[in-house]
Amino acid sequence: MSSQETVAWDDLFEEAHEGLSALIDRLESVVVGQRPLLEKLIVALLAGGHVLVEGVPGLAKTRAVRALARALDLPFRRIQFTPDLLPADLTGTQIYRPATGEFDVRPGPVVTSVLLADEINRAPAKVQSALLEAMQEGQITVGDETIILPETFWVLATQNPIEHEGTYPLPEAQLDRFLMKVLVDYPARDAELAMLDLPSVAETSLAESWPSDEPPLFTPDDVLRFRRLAASVQTAPAIKEYVVDLVRATRDPEAYGLGLAPLIELGASPRATIALIRAARAHALLARRDYVTPHDVKSLARDVLRHRIMISYEADAEGLSVDDVLIRILDHIPVP
């Protein structure tokens, strides 16, 4: 890299850090007590990966996504997934024009930049299949026509962990397309108390609680530039080996001296290895570093891996969760 290229990279790096810091501050002004969620959403944005957010109702999951889309000046659409939802409700449909004798395509709400799939596990398999094409291929098919989605297309899905009536388990192939599965917990007492001072306590909509004179912080082009910057964050060979060992330990724990084989039904795929590296690079950029550390990897390992691993009935019988198994792996694999 030449000296001019180095200066340009340093300037972009500083611009990204200042912008991301301002983004978190703005989001925290309307979403109180959920900073870990906000940071992980931004990491996923920088890594260009979709996110599955799981938490009980009332934890500001939808509000956080709306606020993020507005701050980035990205087109936003929300779809409430229900058992009677049809693929055409997502992707769009063909409309016959008698005057021309032809069919015109009317794109559905999936043709956007930020798609909030609310209660995603309430939709049947055909709808999930249509969403899977959009998530994996960056395109949808309506009749005979293929529609390419924007480069900034990004799915943030939510699901309720305690309600099972009228829900459909997400297929493993679709779960694997989510970069991270983030678990949202209740806010701390101080944060919950601070919520009572938000304008939204009196005003119900985000538009009313967000100052109208605050312009978006980024443009869609900025988002793409910051993604390229995150992808260029340096990753040492030892860090890459560490990531590979973590993922491979979920598939072959005996090879790593872990007595976890009876507890794991299915380990993580190589897609998880790639996802963890991408997420770690984005986390490093958010932390104002141009290199990845083991802390970046360990901070996101459970979010990246928990939905890609299937534990056995024996683990269930012992009262162990996927996170319990991952913690054992993280504690055992040597940190470089």
Side-chain angles (χ1 to χ4, degrees), residues 24-32 63 198-199 209-211 214:
I24 291 179
D25 291 342
R26 181 176 293 189
L27 293 177
E28 283 199 303
S29 69
V30 292
V31 182
V32 177
R63 184 181 179 85
L198 289 177
S209 65
W210 193 306
E214 288 192 350

Side-chain angles (χ1 to χ4, degrees), residues 283-297:
H283 189 272
L285 178 61
L286 189 61
R288 202 174 184 176
R289 280 185 277 99
D290 60 356
Y291 58 90
V292 177
T293 67
H295 172 72
D296 297 314
V297 177

Side-chain angles (χ1 to χ4, degrees), residues 178-298:
F178 284 102
L179 178 78
M180 295 192 293
K181 179 181 178 182
V182 180
L183 305 183
V184 186
D185 204 353
Y186 292 108
R189 182 181 184 278
D190 291 345
E192 194 164 355
L193 189 62
M195 291 178 190
L196 302 181
D197 295 326
L198 289 177
S200 57
V201 172
E203 307 290 352
T204 58
S205 72
L206 176 63
E208 293 167 330
S209 65
W210 193 306
S212 59
D213 58 345
E214 288 192 350
L217 290 172
F218 299 146
T219 66
D221 287 340
D222 291 330
V223 173
L224 296 177
R225 286 192 305 123
F226 293 161
R227 282 183 180 176
R228 290 191 291 269
L229 183 63
S232 68
V233 170
Q234 301 174 43
T235 311
I239 297 293
K240 295 178 181 178
E241 291 182 12
Y242 179 53
V243 169
V244 169
D245 286 338
L246 285 176
V247 177
R248 291 184 66 85
T250 69
R251 300 196 295 261
D252 187 11
E254 296 300 326
Y256 290 87
L258 290 162
L260 300 177
L263 306 179
I264 301 176
E265 188 74 23
L266 179 68
S269 72
R271 186 180 282 115
T273 310
I274 298 171
L276 187 49
I277 282 290
R278 287 167 53 197
R281 287 170 174 159
H283 189 272
L285 178 61
L286 189 61
R288 202 174 184 176
R289 280 185 277 99
D290 60 356
Y291 58 90
V292 177
T293 67
H295 172 72
D296 297 314
V297 177
K298 297 190 74 170

